[in-house]
Amino acid sequence: MSTSTNSHVAALQDKQFRHLIDGGLQDSTDSFDVINPATGEVFARSPDASRSQFEEAVTAARRAFVGWSKAGFSERRHQLERLADAMQQRQEELATMLTLEQGKPLAAARAEIARAIGIIRQLVKIEIKPEILREDAAGRAELHYKPLGVVGGITPWNVPIVLAAPKITSALYTGNTMVLKPSPYTPLTTLLLGEIARDIFPPGVLNIVAGGNALGQWMTEHPLIDKITFTGSIATGKRVMASAAVNMKRVTLELGGNDAAIVLGDADPKEIAGRLFAASFANSGQVCQSIKRLYVHDDIYEEMLVELAAIARSVKVGDGLEDDSDYGPLQNKAQYDKVLELLEDTARQPGVRILAGGHALGRPGYFIAPTVVAGIAEGTRLVDEEPFGPVLPVLRFSDVEDAIRRANDSRFGLGGSVWTRDVEKGAEVAARLETGVAWVNHHLGVAAEYPFGGVKESGVGRANGLMGLLRNMEAQLIVVPPAV
Ligand code: NAD
């Protein structure tokens, strides 16, 4: 660990974290533990927002909406660019905080903060203008877009800042104000972001409050919140959608995935194994859109297994603060236990071969060895559920039609990919995947200029791109007769 990382760690461990409410930083009477997943030990405490603090945040957001919604796109763009600049200045502190509470290696944490900054800058470049639908002797019809009011943002623990940044930007740029709640497992980097944002936006425009799941429920039920933008599990997404009905809240739901990648028989295992591995094991497999089912053609199946297993055995899993760690721990004990249980279930399946990993690392913290599983089929928990951990089932196929059918035979529909030397053939197969995003010879990571989201139970609506921004606005049709 470098001396500068050391000094950030020391400062962050002593720091008092506070909510951002109505332009001020606030403590709470109650607080909860935050655990470093690399040690399994409590290293800090987060304030736990009371009901009245939450109400104060909503009231402040409602009040601030009056001015902010009138500020115009260029002013709001300017303020969001200032946020991006301020984050850049404190990038190292934010990244260190992220590693401490989330577990990912420092290099990945730095990349997450850099990506979040890039997303802010990219989204505010998108122009939103009224559309003239018709203009002739009969008159004119215009479509105008207006902000909704107060947007509630709820984020999970896997990539807290890369998810907070587009939620904040999409809501604020389009003229809404916001109350944002991070996951109770990883609240601190988002609270630090709130501290940075305090000096930028007018009071009440952005409020960040930490708390448990009950706070999320208060948000989804609150009559003065007009939209919920939620990222998390399908089970919670369903609860959010049900309680959002209370005042017909708009929702954008970015939920779980069980992405399939299909490798056709003409692909070169040696050439692509590294990229497939990275797209599956990034963030220790805790990415909504990572490869979670790998379908490989018979002709290259065994060779692909050898390549993947060799990588799995060669990477270094360790504390994210250690310079040579490629992958960190699982983020929390519940997820760690869930993945270990899945591995036990997998080992019991007839014909299964565990080619690498398959076990926890014998050390404190929530570490699991990168695991490659062969000889597994649909109908098992590992293949049918979203593992959200460093475990990749590799399935065999001989007919591409069969691979497409099996990839689509899922309640999930987030992303998918096709790997082949023939990119046009790949594009044809990709278009037949029932997913919100499909790639050829690539998987994971969608630029903020494009809409991102899932079909089936993987989500409702799209984030990012013009389509995602417009989900924070309501269209109004204005019909004007010809002048007399
Ligand atoms: P989770 O659903 O348990 O929690 C997500 C957030 O919802 C947390 O902030 C939590 O406090 C809050 N919450 C819990 N109960 C609530 C309720 N009743 N009402 C409102 N809010 C409530 O999810 P998680 O375990 O933190 O995250 C992992 C999941 O997120 C995985 O399934 C993953 O695929 C998914 N995910 C999806 C995307 C995407 O873009 N599609 C991105 C990242 C993660």
Side-chain angles (χ1 to χ4, degrees), residues 404-447:
I404 297 169
R405 184 191 55 72
R406 290 160 67 193
N408 286 338
D409 186 16
S410 168
R411 70 190 178 114
F412 299 94
L414 200 53
S417 61
V418 184
W419 299 70
T420 169
R421 284 173 211 256
D422 181 348
V423 293
E424 291 312 322
K425 163 87 178 159
E428 274 170 37
V429 176
R432 292 178 58 198
L433 295 177
E434 295 166 5
T435 58
V437 184
W439 295 271
V440 178
N441 294 341
H442 182 81
H443 202 117
L444 208 63
V446 177

Side-chain angles (χ1 to χ4, degrees), residues 154-159 163 181-185 211-213 216-217 220 230-234 236-237 239-240 254-257 287-288 292 335 386 388 414 452 458:
I154 301 175
T155 52
W157 45 257
N158 61 336
V159 277
L163 291 168
K181 182 199 97 66
S183 164
Y185 288 115
N213 297 346
Q217 177 91 25
T220 59
F230 170 85
T231 304
S233 63
I234 290 177
T236 312
R239 271 180 234 127
V240 169
E254 299 168 41
L255 308 178
V287 182
C288 55
K292 293 175 184 137
Q335 190 60 31
E386 179 189 36
F388 225 56
L414 200 53
F452 167 84
S458 284

